[in-house]
Amino acid sequence: MIRNVLEYAEQTAERFPNKTAFATEKEKISFAELVQRAKEIGTYLLQYGVHRQPMAVMTDKTPEMIAAFLGCVYSGNFYTPIDVTMPKERIQSIFHTLKPAVLLVDEKSKNQVASLGYDGKTVFLEEVEEGNIAEEELKKIRLETIDTDPLYALFTSGSTGVPKGVVISHQSVVNLTEWYTEAFSITEQEVIGNQAPFYFDSSVKDIYAVLKTGATMEIIPKQLFSFPVRLLPYIEEKQINYIDWVPSAFCIVANTDALAKCRPSSLRKMMFAGEAMPTKQFNYWKKYYPKALFANIYGPTETTVDCTYYIVDREFADDEPLPIGYACRNTDIFILKDDRLAKEGESGELCVRGRCLALGYYNNPEKTAEVFIQNPLNPHYPEKIYKTGDIAKYNAHGEIIFLARKDHQIKHMGHRIELGEIETAVASIDLITESTCIYDEENQKIVLFYCGAEADQRYILKKLRDKLPKYMLPNKIILLEEMPHTINGKIDRLRLKEYYDCEDC
């Protein structure tokens, strides 16, 4: 049984030493080279004499960054990815909470580190000596670690905008990796096209699926996701057959009708996760890949990336939401309504228990205690569950349907409304490419933001009258040239709220 993720890397390096593990346009690293480099970095970090402490890694998104992650683990510590494009204030906020024992950077990031005011220990990866590996010391550290030790801490903003460090253990990532690779039959034949930034939890699946199976990960240049006319030929050139992207990446291809011009023949398996996948854009992809495997995957960072999944195996209308499906293996999902189990068709808060749960939030016991609570259905012995803050229900098929965030459930004109239901209806309208809703509680207005210049307010309301009751129709409709997104690719509702508050309503 795997106790430490380094075992994945080492076993695969023995099976496929010369096979490419991770690659960018300009560089690549084999499995043997990856383990070698990670051990070199781990050995270098031993001089600081720390154990089970956070280490921050701030470099470009390259194979060397993954080697640095594993180097932190070899040294008996855990890692936090810091993207070089993050705003200065966000990095400083993360460092304030994390207080990393060591900051690992590359030469290109030297000036950026100086501007942060960070005065802790800094390691420049270019200075880590090649060939210097303290095998016996690394082996001793391995014997002292257990599978509930932290592997990484990822910082997520949630609805507050303040970063929270979600601490995830080795056993949770092993649990995820075993399920994920088996559920989607990932082998050494897969070429995974990575979209997710390494500070975003979805990338964890890409990285550890590669380390376990011997698949290859192509790190797709970020700028290509703004230009589908260049993205799709890149997928074809690299023979990428497996992608697990945020819905916005799929949507930009669908909204530009890019597959009509270039349809990569290599694609076989396509997963979407991170937020709700609009069914209209899913159906576009399905039309071009009728025989491909598609899966809708759901899970907060606090449940180690994923906790439910749905392999799309039937037809869905454009205005019908895709289910998030069923619990992943070794995970229990249930919907609570006033501390009791919700009935079919009854909405409630989605809760999770199992090995997938995070250890909690780093240096934030108050927030940890708020959402990682004793299971109210079990008064007999200690059993933690995670309250996701997401509202869901079971449909007639017994599948879970995501409705909205708890803070997106509103009371309007005496009716309890899920904003997600309105968003699903709006997303199905043919001329709309992207949309979301917020609620102006003070003025009792449902506010719709959308992209799609050819669709005016009259057209939208006419289409919605056939899909929604009158009390759910938006009271204010705002056209945007471009929808704001967070650094993780999700729609940035906080910025929309600020934009709306600045308007003369």
Side-chain angles (χ1 to χ4, degrees), residues 20-311:
T20 297
F22 301 97
T24 65
E25 281 184 298
K26 299 177 181 178
E27 58 187 283
K28 62 183 180 179
I29 193 168
S30 71
F31 286 100
E33 291 167 338
L34 177 70
V35 170
Q36 170 86 3
R37 187 59 180 156
K39 286 183 175 181
E40 291 167 354
I41 295 169
T43 298
Y44 191 89
L45 293 173
L46 293 178
Q47 66 183 291
Y48 298 105
V50 295
H51 186 56
R52 298 180 69 221
Q53 296 299 308
M55 294 182 168
V57 182
M58 189 171 81
T59 72
D60 280 341
K61 187 182 177 186
T62 62
E64 178 83 347
M65 191 177 200
I66 296 171
F69 295 162
L70 299 183
C72 295
V73 180
Y74 267 113
S75 73
N77 296 285
F78 60 100
Y79 64 87
T80 290
I82 304 291
D83 192 88
V84 292
T85 63
M86 281 182 180
K88 175 181 174 181
E89 292 77 13
R90 180 177 175 84
I91 297 175
Q92 289 174 326
S93 177
I94 290 172
F95 283 1
H96 177 74
T97 299
L98 190 69
K99 296 178 176 55
V102 180
L103 171 61
L104 290 80
V105 298
D106 55 14
E107 194 69 28
K108 289 173 61 177
S109 307
K110 182 179 289 187
N111 293 335
Q112 191 172 358
V113 172
S115 72
L116 293 172
Y118 173 77
D119 58 2
K121 301 178 180 68
T122 302
V123 168
F124 292 96
L125 291 170
E126 288 84 355
E127 296 176 2
V128 175
E129 185 181 351
E130 294 183 7
N132 182 27
I133 297 176
E135 290 283 5
E136 290 305 313
E137 290 183 60
L138 296 182
K139 189 180 297 183
K140 183 175 183 292
I141 287 172
R142 182 79 63 84
L143 291 173
E144 294 171 351
T145 60
I146 59 175
D147 62 1
T148 53
D149 283 340
L151 171 61
Y152 63 76
L154 292 186
F155 279 76
T156 176
S157 297
S159 57
T160 64
V162 178
K164 302 189 301 292
V166 183
V167 184
I168 301 292
S169 70
H170 284 261
Q171 73 162 3
S172 293
V173 172
V174 170
N175 183 65
L176 168 79
T177 305
E178 294 295 318
W179 160 76
Y180 185 64
T181 54
E182 182 179 315
F184 302 116
S185 302
I186 301 174
T187 70
E188 71 274 12
Q189 300 300 318
E190 256 63 54
V191 180
I192 298 174
N194 166 259
Q195 169 267 325
F198 290 163
Y199 57 79
F200 185 34
D201 65 343
S202 191
S203 68
V204 171
K205 293 181 289 185
D206 291 347
I207 292 170
Y208 290 99
V210 167
L211 294 182
K212 172 179 164 55
T213 66
T216 293
M217 186 172 95
E218 291 285 348
I219 300 172
I220 301 174
K222 181 180 178 181
Q223 64 271 20
L224 293 188
F225 287 96
S226 300
F227 302 99
V229 69
R230 293 167 54 199
L231 171 64
L232 298 177
Y234 188 90
I235 290 172
E236 182 74 64
E237 176 193 344
K238 300 296 184 181
Q239 286 296 289
I240 291 167
N241 56 21
Y242 189 106
I243 55 178
D244 192 331
W245 294 350
V246 293
S248 58
F250 285 96
C251 288
I252 194 169
V253 173
N255 294 338
T256 55
D257 193 21
L259 289 175
K261 306 175 188 67
C262 177
R263 177 187 173 278
S265 59
S266 54
L267 285 175
R268 295 287 183 273
K269 302 172 186 177
M270 287 168 266
M271 319 290 148
F272 25 90
E275 60 183 343
M277 176 71 183
T279 310
K280 180 177 69 179
Q281 281 83 354
F282 162 74
N283 283 333
Y284 173 87
W285 278 84
K286 185 70 174 174
K287 179 180 74 173
Y288 282 96
Y289 291 95
K291 295 182 179 179
L293 172 69
F294 288 92
N296 190 23
I297 308 179
Y298 161 86
T301 305
E302 291 84 347
T303 65
T304 315
V305 192
D306 297 333
C307 59
T308 77
Y309 71 112
Y310 178 72
I311 295 175

Side-chain angles (χ1 to χ4, degrees), residues 339-350:
D339 283 350
R340 64 169 174 81
L341 290 175
K343 301 172 184 175
E344 180 189 315
E346 190 176 36
S347 64
E349 184 172 6
L350 199 66

